[in-house]
Amino acid sequence: MSRTVVVTGATSGIGRAAAREFAGRGDRLVLAARSRTTLAEVRGECEKIGAEVLAVPTDVTADGALEALTDAAVTRFGGVDVWVHTAAVMAYGRFEETPERVFEQVVRTDLLAAAGAARVALRHFRATGGGTLILTGSVLGHITAPFMSGYVASKWGLQGLARALQQEARETPGVNVCIVTPGSVDTPVYQQAANYLGRIGRPPLPITSPERVARAIVDCADRPRREVSVGRVNLVMRFGFTLLPGVYDVLVVPLMRIAGLTNRPVAPHEGTVFTPNPAGESVRGGWLPDLAQLARGVGELPASIGGAVRRRLR
């Protein structure tokens, strides 16, 4: 049966992949993000798959924006069955060198806006008899990494919020609260992040695809669970952080400099913390090879080699 699904942060990364995944299931979509132009692109992508789509340009940190998004969904589709919150921004820099306004906006977007989305979604679900809220956390909600203090603080807060909401939801039959916690994901958020560190960030290996995270989100909508971890080494990192904290803290800074930062220099900038960058929005960030393109290349290799040999023999 078709559902009405709200997706915030729908123009890039996990949110855009999730929108496509729900569209492929035949669900009705309410897509929200800051960029009107990119949001129109995503709407077109999902309509081409066959979904009925409402696109609502939304800054999740603006007063009243999430209430207006809910009202738009109710007006168009009569209600909301699933709310997926993926909107997030990031900033790199030592804590004391990151501008206060940037740090606070990261927390406002990644934690307080998630709380706002949860508030309007849960009120709606209680009023209508049920629904599923899916928050997008991070393995950094269970461990820490240097030079990302605003993001880490937000994800730890989101983890605690999700747990508290799950406890409260036990008293409301039909209402589910889930959190999906990926590790490193191939999205543009690293290039789009504010940066006061002098080097562009990147996802440490191993990296998973946003499509895999999107499938976990859709699976939670189908079969709600408290938490789903997406990433091959998430549990290993959590184990080291919890049971070997001294060793973890000794290793994490040099590992972050090696694995979590590129060698590409960058001047201080605010990234997309305050305003979107439509030119940088896409499902993937280019950190993983395009496996489909790679497979096509491998398939064409024998013919290419054969052609080269024939030309050489002429």
Side-chain angles (χ1 to χ4, degrees), residues 1 11 15 40 46 49-50 59 66 88 91-92 103 126 131 142-143 158 210 221 251-252 273 290 309:
M1 185 171 63
T11 52
C46 294
I49 296 172
D59 181 344
L66 292 164
Y92 287 97
F103 178 92
R126 283 197 299 270
H142 292 287
I143 66 173
L158 187 61
L251 295 176
V252 69
V273 170
D290 186 329
V309 169

Side-chain angles (χ1 to χ4, degrees), residues 113-177:
R119 185 175 295 111
V120 297
L122 292 174
R123 285 174 178 170
H124 178 76
F125 295 157
R126 283 197 299 270
T128 58
T132 299
L133 169 66
I134 303 173
L135 301 171
T136 308
S138 169
V139 69
L140 291 178
H142 292 287
I143 66 173
T144 57
F147 316 130
M148 303 172 67
S149 54
Y151 188 81
V152 171
S154 298
K155 293 303 182 180
W156 274 72
L158 187 61
Q159 196 71 35
L161 175 66
R163 185 68 179 270
L165 297 182
Q166 289 166 347
Q167 292 166 350
E168 293 178 9
R170 294 176 64 87
E171 298 181 342
T172 314
V175 174
N176 304 290
V177 178

Side-chain angles (χ1 to χ4, degrees), residues 166-192:
Q166 289 166 347
Q167 292 166 350
E168 293 178 9
R170 294 176 64 87
E171 298 181 342
T172 314
V175 174
N176 304 290
V177 178
C178 312
I179 185 166
V180 175
T181 55
S184 294
V185 185
D186 179 22
T187 77
V189 70
Y190 307 92
Q191 299 100 315
Q192 301 270 67

Side-chain angles (χ1 to χ4, degrees), residues 8-218:
T8 61
T11 52
S12 196
I14 293 169
R16 191 165 183 167
R20 292 176 176 179
E21 193 73 21
F22 279 112
R25 296 289 298 272
D27 292 316
R28 299 177 295 271
L29 295 175
V30 181
L31 305 180
R34 293 179 295 179
S35 171
R36 289 178 177 272
T37 55
T38 316
L39 197 59
E41 291 177 11
V42 181
R43 180 187 65 199
E45 292 170 359
C46 294
E47 288 176 339
K48 189 175 181 179
I49 296 172
E52 188 175 358
V53 184
L54 171 65
V56 185
T58 304
D59 181 344
V60 295
T61 67
D63 290 342
L66 292 164
E67 289 83 356
L69 177 60
T70 307
D71 291 343
V74 171
T75 299
R76 175 68 178 272
F77 295 122
V80 177
D81 302 300
V82 179
W83 188 300
V84 180
H85 185 80
T86 72
V89 294
M90 187 185 289
Y92 287 97
R94 296 182 67 89
F95 173 70
E96 70 274 16
E97 294 172 356
T98 302
E100 182 178 349
R101 65 190 295 269
V102 172
F103 178 92
E104 291 182 352
Q105 186 67 11
V106 171
V107 174
R108 188 174 294 115
T109 304
D110 296 0
L111 176 57
L112 299 183
R119 185 175 295 111
V120 297
L122 292 174
R123 285 174 178 170
H124 178 76
F125 295 157
R126 283 197 299 270
T128 58
T132 299
L133 169 66
I134 303 173
L135 301 171
T136 308
S138 169
V139 69
L140 291 178
H142 292 287
I143 66 173
T144 57
F147 316 130
M148 303 172 67
S149 54
Y151 188 81
V152 171
S154 298
K155 293 303 182 180
W156 274 72
L158 187 61
Q159 196 71 35
L161 175 66
R163 185 68 179 270
L165 297 182
Q166 289 166 347
Q167 292 166 350
E168 293 178 9
R170 294 176 64 87
E171 298 181 342
T172 314
V175 174
N176 304 290
V177 178
C178 312
I179 185 166
V180 175
T181 55
S184 294
V185 185
D186 179 22
T187 77
V189 70
Y190 307 92
Q191 299 100 315
Q192 301 270 67
N195 199 301
Y196 302 92
L197 203 57
R199 292 164 58 187
I200 296 175
R202 65 183 174 192
L205 295 171
I207 305 169
T208 194
S209 71
E211 291 86 355
R212 183 183 173 197
V213 183
R215 289 192 293 271
I217 288 172
V218 173

